[in-house]
Amino acid sequence: MTKADLVKAITEKNGMSKKDAEAALNSTISCITDALVSGEKVQIVGFGTFEVRQRGEKKCKNPQTGKEMITPAKKAPAFKAGKGLKDAVNK
């Protein structure tokens, strides 16, 4: 499902205009992004939790040259599904 498909589904379920549904989706994504950038968790009960996890540096090989290199430590966004979402998917 693409973002456009999601906007269409929101309009069909809620009777919103396409413009309002897209604005609501964009603001939701923006709020989640802003919270993650500031180091906060976003927890939606029954759906899941968005958080930032720290990844350590690791050794790898450049596939073109075969030379070993070290990728630096970095932060990565992560999502952990909640019980409600897991139950819905497994029905």
Side-chain angles (χ1 to χ4, degrees):
M1 177 179 272
T2 65
K3 186 176 178 182
D5 295 335
L6 190 55
V7 169
K8 184 178 178 184
I10 292 169
T11 61
E12 291 170 359
K13 281 197 176 211
N14 296 317
M16 300 171 75
S17 70
K18 183 179 176 183
K19 184 178 178 181
D20 290 341
E22 189 169 7
L25 180 59
N26 286 338
S27 64
T28 301
I29 292 170
S30 177
C31 289
I32 291 171
T33 301
D34 292 344
L36 293 177
V37 167
S38 66
E40 297 177 53
K41 278 187 185 180
V42 177
Q43 194 169 14
I44 303 171
V45 176
F47 184 70
T49 303
F50 296 91
E51 64 184 349
V52 176
R53 294 185 184 152
Q54 184 68 35
R55 293 195 179 163
E57 64 179 35
K58 62 181 180 177
K59 290 183 182 180
C60 62
K61 285 189 178 183
N62 183 330
Q64 292 179 335
T65 64
K67 183 179 177 183
E68 275 197 15
M69 49 193 269
I70 296 176
T71 56
K74 61 183 175 182
K75 295 178 183 178
F79 175 76
K80 182 178 178 185
K83 185 176 182 336
L85 179 59
K86 288 179 187 178
D87 290 346
V89 170
N90 287 312
K91 282 189 177 178

